[in-house]
């Protein structure tokens, strides 16, 4: 692997591309540019619009050049590269944007303040490509011009004859999953190559030791909302990993985790634009790690619940870190709403959100606001939750935080308790947010809430009034340190 190297991947014919931007990359100080072709992604269910996504991998130090479509943007007068915490300041002309990278980044490039037709740029790390010519691998050759169709049952019959740890590799091209859903067997790896687009959904149900990973995309933009198709559904399973893939517009959740343990989700990218198209929902599960993800969703980006549907039991030990969350609708971070109200609720505990950039929170319904939200319903107890190193940029419409025990539309009985919640090193630099709320229902307290370095518009907050936080009834022990 070279010291300075760039890997770009094709977009197969028949998969929607986008020409608002042309993206070029090259190793630093080299002459020839390589193009990273843009996919089309749909964003924001309020008013669905078309944005761009480009992916490439690199090592060392590289230069990026972005040519802007002058028919769309007649004059380029402002360029924002977010998250702002990355500190990337580009130089630009009337038609081109330039900057350098020496670390992998998941970025939003916004021209003239336009957040809805922006370029999502995912610059990953070059990795050694696995060797596919061996007795433990099924290689599904793709074609960039003609789609291939693969039946899950037929593939499973082949895999049954192979040793544990077998791999199915999707090569560059379009791949349709026959009957839309493939139920994966245990002890199996699925690799999606750069330049591969898989149309369909993977299901892990009652299995273990499955890894779904790669540099390609799962493309679900052609499915209708009420198909409820997810990118990956993980149910009653353990030791499942999902890594690296970009998910383009699944009509329901990107990744569904229910009744599971030992789940790792790393460096995925997600776009959705439908009602109920959450990013990652975690229900009645334990030991779940989410790291390095970029989620732009038209419902909750990350939701942590107890019981829902066929899944029963508490949820504990969930860590979300080093990630970028963008909620065009609803909450970037949501905890506690659903549980087993018929049996008195569940316990949702030991939850950590750490080193997270929030690029948007836009929600018109007052009861669904809260960038950092804990709404305990259905008899649930939520305890020991920590939000740390959270950087929230300007929000279209929403509250910075919302801590409430609730009873209402989705909750036949109120939540039982919220306790031992810590907000540490929280930074918000936007304007015009709605008032945050901390309140409990009668007999359903919120207690032991600590703010350790809450900074709003550059000012360290020392009390709830200064922080634009309303405190209602049934509250005990709110502390600023």
């Amino acid at each position: 692997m070279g010291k300075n190297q760039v890997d770009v991947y094709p977009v197969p014919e028949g998969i929607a591309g986008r020409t608002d931007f042309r993206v070029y990359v090259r190793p630093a100080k080299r002459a020839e540019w390589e193009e990273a072709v843009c996919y089309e992604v749909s964003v924001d269910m309020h008013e669905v619009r078309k944005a761009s996504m480009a992916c490439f991998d690199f090592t060392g130090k590289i230069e990026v050049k972005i040519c802007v479509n002058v028919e769309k943007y007649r004059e380029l007068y402002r360029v924002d590269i977010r998250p702002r915490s990355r500190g990337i300041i580009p130089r630009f002309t009337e038609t081109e944007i330039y900057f350098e990278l020496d670390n992998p980044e998941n970025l939003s490039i916004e021209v003239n303040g336009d957040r809805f037709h922006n370029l999502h740029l995912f610059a990953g790390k070059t990795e050694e490509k696995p060797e596919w010519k061996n007795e433990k691998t099924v290689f599904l050759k793709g074609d960039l011009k003609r789609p291939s169709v693969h039946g899950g049952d037929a593939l499973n019959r082949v895999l049954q004859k192979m040793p544990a740890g077998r791999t199915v590799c999707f090569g560059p091209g379009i791949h349709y999953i026959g009957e839309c859903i493939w139920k994966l067997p245990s002890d199996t790896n699925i690799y999606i190559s750069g330049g591969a687009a898989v149309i369909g959904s993977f299901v892990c149900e009652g299995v273990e030791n499955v890894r779904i990973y790669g540099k390609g995309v799962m493309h679900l933009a052609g499915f209708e909302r009420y198909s409820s198709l997810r990118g990956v559904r993980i149910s009653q399973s353990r030791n499942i990993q999902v890594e690296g893939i970009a998910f383009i517009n699944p009509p329901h959740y990107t990744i569904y985790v229910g009744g599971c343990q030992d789940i790792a989700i790393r460096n995925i990218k997600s776009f959705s634009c439908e009602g109920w198209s959450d990013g990652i929902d975690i229900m009645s599960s334990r030991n779940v790690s989410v790291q390095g993800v970029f989620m732009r969703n038209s419902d909750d980006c990350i939701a942590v619940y107890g019981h829902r549907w066929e899944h029963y039991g508490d949820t504990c030990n969930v860590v979300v870190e080093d990630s970028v969350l963008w909620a065009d609708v609803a909450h970037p971070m949501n905890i506690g709403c659903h549980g087993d109200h018929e049996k008195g609720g569940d316990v949702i505990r030991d939850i950590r959100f750490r080193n997270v950039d929030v690029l948007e929170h836009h929600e018109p319904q007052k009861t669904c606001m809260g960038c950092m939200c804990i709404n305990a319903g259905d008899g649930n107890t939520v305890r020991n939750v920590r939000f740390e190193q959270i950087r929230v940029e300007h929000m279209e419409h929403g509250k910075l935080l919302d801590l409430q025990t609730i009873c209402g539309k989705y909750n036949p009985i109120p939540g039982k308790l919220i306790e031992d919640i810590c907000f540490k090193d929280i930074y918000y630099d936007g304007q015009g947010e709605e008032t945050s709320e901390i309140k409990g229902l009668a007999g359903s307290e919120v207690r032991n809430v600590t703010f350790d370095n809450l900074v709003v518009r550059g000012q360290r907050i020392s009390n709830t009034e200064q922080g634009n936080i309303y405190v209602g009834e049934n509250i005990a022990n709110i502390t600023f340190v």
Side-chain angles (χ1 to χ4, degrees):
M1 190 180 297
K3 183 178 180 182
N4 293 321
Q5 177 179 331
V6 171
D7 293 320
V8 298
Y9 309 106
V11 174
E13 290 186 19
I15 298 295
R18 197 81 188 158
T19 58
D20 292 349
F21 304 93
R22 303 278 304 262
V23 179
Y24 299 92
V25 292
R26 68 182 180 187
K29 310 303 181 185
R30 301 247 184 114
E32 293 187 6
W33 295 97
E34 295 187 69
E35 184 172 7
V37 182
C38 292
Y39 286 85
E40 179 180 277
V41 296
S42 297
V43 300
D44 187 30
M45 65 172 281
H46 293 302
E47 179 188 341
V48 178
R49 282 158 282 191
K50 306 299 184 182
S52 303
M53 179 194 84
C55 306
F56 61 88
D57 296 314
F58 74 100
T59 56
K61 187 172 184 178
I62 61 162
E63 298 172 340
V64 180
K65 177 176 72 171
I66 301 169
C67 299
V68 179
N69 187 332
V70 294
E71 293 182 1
K72 183 172 182 61
Y73 297 101
R74 295 182 181 180
E75 178 185 0
L76 199 167
Y77 56 83
R78 172 182 162 189
V79 176
D80 296 300
I81 299 183
R82 301 194 301 139
R84 298 188 192 282
S85 65
R86 303 302 187 265
I88 300 174
I89 307 299
R91 55 188 177 88
F92 58 92
T93 67
E94 293 180 353
T95 60
E96 296 178 343
I97 303 165
Y98 296 88
F99 57 93
E100 296 180 344
L101 294 175
D102 55 14
N103 285 299
E105 297 284 3
N106 294 327
L107 303 171
S108 172
I109 316 297
E110 299 157 15
V111 170
N112 300 348
D114 185 351
R115 293 187 177 189
F116 296 105
H117 303 92
N118 60 315
L119 168 65
H120 304 84
L121 191 69
F122 303 132
K125 179 182 179 181
T126 295
E127 299 170 354
E128 295 286 353
K129 293 181 174 58
E131 173 56 54
W132 303 125
K133 295 182 179 180
N134 57 59
E135 70 282 358
K136 295 180 68 173
T137 300
V138 176
F139 184 82
L140 302 177
K141 184 178 180 181
D143 190 310
L144 294 173
K145 296 184 178 181
R146 300 179 62 184
S148 304
V149 181
H150 313 285
D153 290 345
L155 286 168
N156 285 347
R157 286 194 291 271
V158 173
L159 294 174
Q160 287 172 1
K161 301 174 183 178
M162 301 170 66
R166 58 265 171 129
T167 296
V168 176
C169 173
F170 289 88
I174 302 177
H175 301 265
Y176 281 85
I177 301 300
E179 299 183 346
C180 301
I181 292 174
W182 179 9
K183 290 189 175 182
L184 303 177
S186 294
D187 303 306
T188 300
N189 302 311
I190 304 294
Y191 184 84
I192 304 177
S193 301
V198 176
I199 299 175
S201 174
F202 297 131
V203 172
C204 298
E205 188 172 79
V207 299
E208 61 183 7
N209 306 326
V210 174
R211 184 185 185 198
I212 303 166
Y213 70 116
K215 301 292 187 177
V217 306
M218 295 194 70
H219 198 279
L220 294 99
F223 293 95
E224 294 293 332
R225 173 187 180 185
Y226 292 105
S227 70
S228 296
L229 207 64
R230 293 103 180 187
V232 178
R233 184 180 188 273
I234 310 171
S235 176
Q236 312 301 326
S237 298
R238 63 177 297 274
N239 193 25
I240 310 296
Q241 302 176 53
V242 185
E243 304 174 47
I245 302 161
F247 294 83
I248 297 179
N249 297 115
H252 201 238
Y253 302 165
T254 294
I255 299 182
Y256 168 123
V257 179
C260 296
Q261 64 178 0
D262 303 325
I263 306 298
I265 302 168
R266 303 188 187 96
N267 197 31
I268 70 158
K269 301 87 179 173
S270 167
F271 298 91
S272 63
C273 65
E274 300 280 3
W276 313 322
S277 59
D278 297 26
I280 301 169
D281 276 28
I282 301 163
M283 301 158 283
S284 296
S285 296
R286 63 184 187 270
N287 304 334
V288 179
S289 170
V290 178
Q291 184 178 40
V293 302
F294 184 106
M295 314 296 295
R296 183 171 187 178
N297 304 114
S298 282
D299 213 319
D300 301 336
C301 294
I302 310 282
V304 183
Y305 301 139
H307 158 68
R308 203 169 193 202
W309 296 307
E310 69 270 32
H311 309 296
Y312 289 87
D314 300 339
T315 292
C316 63
N317 300 331
V318 176
V319 177
V320 180
E321 60 187 347
D322 306 331
S323 295
V324 180
L325 306 180
W326 183 326
D328 282 316
V329 181
H331 311 90
M333 296 164 272
N334 187 20
I335 301 170
C337 181
H338 298 292
D340 190 356
H341 65 87
E342 293 182 347
K343 295 183 179 179
D346 298 312
V347 176
I348 300 168
R349 63 176 174 84
D350 303 328
I351 313 298
R352 301 286 185 272
F353 286 89
R354 181 170 56 226
N355 191 28
V356 172
D357 288 277
V358 176
L359 302 192
E360 183 62 279
H361 167 38
H362 185 190
E363 175 53 57
Q365 301 176 85
K366 186 174 186 292
T367 56
C368 296
M369 292 181 192
C371 177
M372 292 167 282
C373 178
I374 303 176
N375 282 177
D378 288 355
N380 290 340
T381 295
V382 180
R383 64 163 56 100
N384 193 22
V385 178
R386 187 176 182 90
F387 298 92
E388 183 173 3
Q389 291 179 267
I390 311 295
R391 298 168 292 273
V392 182
E393 301 193 13
H394 177 72
M395 300 181 288
E396 285 272 324
H397 189 229
K399 305 172 188 174
L400 183 60
L401 60 96
D402 190 67
L403 273 61
Q404 298 189 46
T405 53
I406 60 171
C407 182
K409 180 179 179 182
Y410 300 109
N411 308 104
I413 66 173
K416 198 171 294 177
L417 176 67
I418 298 173
E419 67 176 351
D420 301 332
I421 312 300
C422 180
F423 296 89
K424 178 176 172 58
D425 297 331
I426 310 297
Y427 301 90
Y428 176 57
D429 64 3
Q431 301 285 336
E433 72 280 4
E434 297 293 328
T435 299
S436 295
E437 295 186 81
I438 304 175
K439 61 184 182 181
L441 298 172
S444 303
E445 274 193 340
V446 178
R447 67 191 185 203
N448 302 338
V449 179
T450 301
F451 293 93
D452 182 354
N453 193 35
L454 169 62
V455 179
V456 176
R457 290 179 281 277
Q459 180 181 24
R460 181 165 179 160
I461 303 304
S462 58
N463 57 67
T464 55
E465 182 179 2
Q466 188 183 40
N468 191 22
I469 302 169
Y470 168 78
V471 177
E473 298 180 342
N474 305 300
I475 302 299
N477 193 24
I478 297 176
T479 305
F480 287 80
V481 296

